[in-house]
Amino acid sequence: MPIEDKPAPRARRKSRPTKLELTVETFGTDIVRGKYAGSTSLPSEAELCATYGVSRATLREVVKMLAFKGLIVIHKHRGLFLQERRNWNYLDTDVLHWALSDDNSYEMIQALLETRAVIEPAIAGWAALRATANDLARMETAIQDMERFYYDKERFNAADVAFHTALTSAAQNVVIEQLGRAVAALQIAVFDVTYFPNETTKEITIRQHTELLEAVRLKKPSQAKKISTRMIAGVSGRINEKFGREGPRGTRRFEGWAEE
């Protein structure tokens, strides 16, 4: 069967979330959206149990999970306190999801793109020096899938992540590979906002990924870094348009970043 005719893989059926998972989601979202803003301390255990309809045992498990995510500090004999936003674990996919679901998610999205702008160009540069034939083949296949499935959001996202995963692997550095996984998590987290299903964006996206592949293939690290930076700046510009924003937290923030 030709690759083009293969049926799409079936999505794995998600099991129904448990009461614990639902409470973590609800409580975490409430914190991120500012329900408890205005005070550093949270309500008593009894009040929280009533608010979320859970037992003390379940609430204590919820609190432990939210503390691990950096949202809550537990002070023995004193109660529960909110962490400062700067101390939240933004590499935790739940925290990112809650933060991005907020109406004021623009600054968070730009911060994520800025983080990518620090890491990804360096990865592209190392890949241009070290990529193997297998790495290049994986990147090329991912681009083909990106073009083929551009209007199938989930499959396009998977192909896009596959491209950047292959690029990261091509850097041939296990530490960078772990950083690449974090970048992939950031990429997935903002995908719903950065996905623009139109022909113009499709053409730009495929062209830029192809240019990056060619820079890696031709072993041109400086060019690969600049293309990577330009790709992220382009996404930032489209985000600005989507949010109706202008100013320094736009494409200009990335200008010159990869210059040597």
Side-chain angles (χ1 to χ4, degrees):
M1 178 184 292
I3 292 177
E4 292 82 352
D5 298 330
K6 283 185 178 180
R10 290 184 179 180
R12 295 172 69 182
R13 182 176 296 176
K14 294 182 179 180
S15 58
R16 181 174 297 179
T18 64
K19 182 66 174 178
L20 174 63
E21 292 168 337
L22 287 172
T23 308
V24 169
E25 172 84 16
T26 306
F27 195 179
T29 301
D30 284 346
I31 291 172
V32 171
R33 290 188 176 179
K35 178 175 180 176
Y36 299 104
S39 173
T40 57
S41 62
L42 286 165
S44 68
E45 188 176 81
E47 290 175 288
L48 290 172
C49 286
T51 297
Y52 296 106
V54 294
S55 66
R56 289 178 182 268
T58 298
L59 180 69
R60 287 168 185 168
E61 289 302 311
V62 170
V63 165
K64 287 179 185 177
M65 295 174 73
L66 294 178
F68 179 78
K69 295 175 186 294
L71 301 183
I72 291 175
V73 180
I74 306 170
H75 289 301
K76 196 171 183 180
H77 305 307
R78 290 180 55 204
L80 305 176
F81 295 81
L82 294 173
Q83 271 278 30
E84 292 184 29
R85 281 183 174 260
R86 63 173 53 251
N87 294 324
W88 293 355
N89 180 10
Y90 288 108
L91 292 181
D92 182 281
T93 54
D94 285 337
V95 176
L96 268 179
H97 172 71
W98 299 332
L100 292 170
S101 67
D102 188 11
D103 291 337
N104 299 314
S105 62
Y106 173 79
E107 292 297 325
M108 173 56 62
I109 293 167
Q110 289 292 357
L112 292 175
L113 291 174
E114 194 170 70
T115 303
R116 288 180 59 187
V118 172
I119 299 171
E120 288 189 14
I123 290 173
W126 286 116
L129 295 173
R130 299 171 177 172
T132 65
N134 182 57
D135 295 324
L136 295 171
R138 288 172 59 200
M139 292 167 66
E140 188 168 6
T141 297
I143 292 174
Q144 291 170 355
D145 287 344
M146 287 172 65
E147 185 166 20
R148 183 180 302 123
F149 302 125
Y150 189 80
Y151 292 102
D152 182 334
K153 187 166 78 168
E154 298 305 319
R155 296 178 80 171
F156 170 76
N157 187 22
D160 195 8
V161 170
F163 174 89
H164 290 280
T165 300
L167 180 71
T168 301
S169 295
Q172 311 298 337
N173 181 306
V174 292
V175 177
I176 287 176
E177 195 158 350
Q178 291 189 7
L179 287 174
R181 293 193 194 109
V183 170
L186 302 183
Q187 185 180 355
I188 292 168
V190 300
F191 182 72
D192 282 342
V193 183
T194 59
Y195 176 65
F196 298 86
N198 59 71
E199 279 298 312
T200 300
T201 306
K202 175 183 178 182
E203 188 276 327
I204 293 171
T205 301
I206 301 304
R207 172 172 51 78
Q208 288 182 330
H209 282 75
T210 302
E211 288 175 351
L212 179 53
L213 170 59
E214 287 308 304
V216 172
R217 193 193 306 275
L218 296 173
K219 298 190 179 299
K220 295 183 176 181
S222 179
Q223 185 177 346
K225 288 161 67 177
K226 290 175 183 177
I227 293 169
S228 178
T229 299
R230 204 157 55 235
M231 289 167 66
I232 297 166
V235 174
S236 179
R238 293 192 289 274
I239 291 297
N240 282 345
E241 292 177 14
K242 187 168 185 175
F243 280 81
R245 300 292 186 99
E246 297 178 357
R249 292 187 73 83
T251 56
R252 290 198 301 277
R253 73 193 298 177
F254 300 110
E255 287 179 0
W257 186 256
E259 301 293 336
E260 295 185 349

